[in-house]
Amino acid sequence: GGNTKPRSLRFTWNMKTTSSLHPDSIIEEIKRVLKANNCDFDQSEKYLLVCMHGDAATDSLVQWEMEVCKLPRLSLNGVRFKRISGTSIGFKNVASKIANELNL
């Protein structure tokens, strides 16, 4: 994708985390926490990561997106989590662990 700027999102209800850091710093921090939690990830766009955690063999594999977005109303950036596949409880567990470990 040719997106060099984070998308602007008007609504914030699905934001786990907000930050006044630069989007590039937020992405680096997300990658640090993903690596620390043995998550695999693919950077499909500048501010969009597709993440994976768990084991397909034991049916515990969870895939999700993490995207850095602008929150113009708050003059902040936010991190959006979106489940792609896997159980919702598995997703909730890994997403909340990552959200809690982000230093934003």
Side-chain angles (χ1 to χ4, degrees):
N3 294 351
T4 54
K5 291 198 176 107
R7 282 196 308 157
S8 288
L9 288 190
R10 189 173 303 182
F11 302 111
T12 57
W13 66 75
N14 60 356
M15 290 290 168
K16 296 269 193 302
T17 41
T18 56
S19 176
S20 56
L21 288 176
H22 189 279
D24 292 353
S25 306
I26 299 176
I27 281 285
E28 289 311 309
E29 174 61 10
I30 291 171
K31 289 180 185 173
R32 182 190 70 77
V33 174
L34 287 171
K35 285 175 188 159
N37 284 282
N38 298 313
C39 300
D40 291 320
F41 59 86
D42 227 10
Q43 193 160 2
S44 56
E45 287 177 23
K46 187 168 184 191
Y47 295 114
L48 181 67
L49 300 173
V50 178
C51 316
M52 222 181 307
H53 183 265
D55 182 5
T58 60
D59 218 33
S60 68
L61 188 68
V62 183
Q63 272 186 295
W64 71 98
E65 281 181 0
M66 291 181 73
E67 184 183 11
V68 179
C69 307
K70 281 179 90 79
L71 306 174
R73 276 190 185 172
L74 306 175
S75 312
L76 288 173
N77 295 305
V79 181
R80 185 180 67 89
F81 289 75
K82 183 184 173 209
R83 181 167 62 108
I84 300 171
S85 64
T87 64
S88 45
I89 188 80
F91 166 69
K92 197 166 175 280
N93 288 343
V94 72
S96 60
K97 188 171 193 305
I98 285 163
N100 289 338
E101 288 179 25
L102 288 171
N103 295 322
L104 303 175

